[in-house]
Amino acid sequence: MSRGRRLALAALAALACGGCGEVDEIVIAISTDLAVPKDFDVLQVQVFEGNQGKFNRPYRRLGGSDAEAQLPATLGFFSSDAGGESIRIKVAARNKDDVGPVRILREVVTTIPKDRVALLTVSLDFLCDGSGQAAGSDVERALCDEGQTCVAGACVSSEIDSSTLPDYSSRDVFGGGDGECFDVTTCFADATPAEVDTAGCTIAGDGAALRNVALETAGDDGICDGDEGDEDRRCLVALNADSDSGFRVGDDGRIQLPPAVCEQMAQKKIAAVLTAPATSCVQKTAGLPTCGPWLASRSEEP
């Protein structure tokens, strides 16, 4: 059990399992495609049961030697009544401190599952930059309406049926359970810009060959391959394969990107879409975190 999860269970007394038989638990796995601490350095997690706050914790100094959390971060919440409690989860990326500016907000409304440990993946991604705003130590929606949350730059329902969630396994969070990570700058060192069909927001695939896809941001967001001020520096955001928040290969063989990619290209927030064959590097997936000083190498089962 990770240090972060022990803190969560100790603080969430109303949902703590007191002498339960079967485990009724949901594990939240929090990740990002940005670079920490350059892009944000505070992770805030809040959990509500009804209108009552059950857990509120900022994790500061991300990416530093004294970081209060590493990424991916896992937090587990138990049931006190055989499962089924409805909870609302808010996860935010902030800067400077727990009342600092908010870059990204994800909200999920779900239930504690019964008789199992379920995995809920929550990703704080570049495409949802600007989705939250600070309200003192609280975080409010800045992009989506009530009942919605930002995923891949689009507002979708914040409700998730916990019965559809997979069982928790460290392999699905910590790089196959062995602490492996995806080196963005190395894996895209020889990447080439793709021609984007903006009508459907797709790019050409490569037949049966697997490919990796990244967004080159127009600013300095993402994982960069050089020092600040370098003329040829690129800052990249790697997309997850076979993911609603990343990319999928369609029946026609073309790679479907999130529509927000084309919208943000038109807004000059994204400079290019890059592709590289997944040969010397494996294909980037949600369960394979990016390498960096923020990386959590632990992979213990709960």
Side-chain angles (χ1 to χ4, degrees), residues 130-146:
S131 55
Q133 60 187 3
S137 60
D138 198 3
V139 180
E140 296 179 344
R141 292 179 297 274
L143 179 65
C144 300
D145 295 332
E146 185 175 355

Side-chain angles (χ1 to χ4, degrees), residues 28-31 43-46 48 88-93 102-109 120-125 127-129 131-133 139-142 144 148-154 156-160 243-245:
I28 308 168
I30 304 167
S31 61
L43 171 69
Q44 184 172 3
V45 182
Q46 298 170 283
F48 303 84
R88 180 166 59 95
I89 303 160
K90 296 169 67 174
V91 181
V102 176
R103 294 202 62 174
I104 302 165
L105 170 65
R106 279 290 308 275
E107 290 189 81
V108 176
V109 176
L120 172 64
T121 300
V122 176
S123 186
L124 300 171
D125 291 338
L127 288 175
C128 285
D129 190 21
S131 55
Q133 60 187 3
V139 180
E140 296 179 344
R141 292 179 297 274
C144 300
Q148 294 187 315
T149 192
C150 183
V151 176
V156 301
S157 174
S158 58
E159 293 191 14
I160 294 179
S243 168
D244 291 337
S245 60

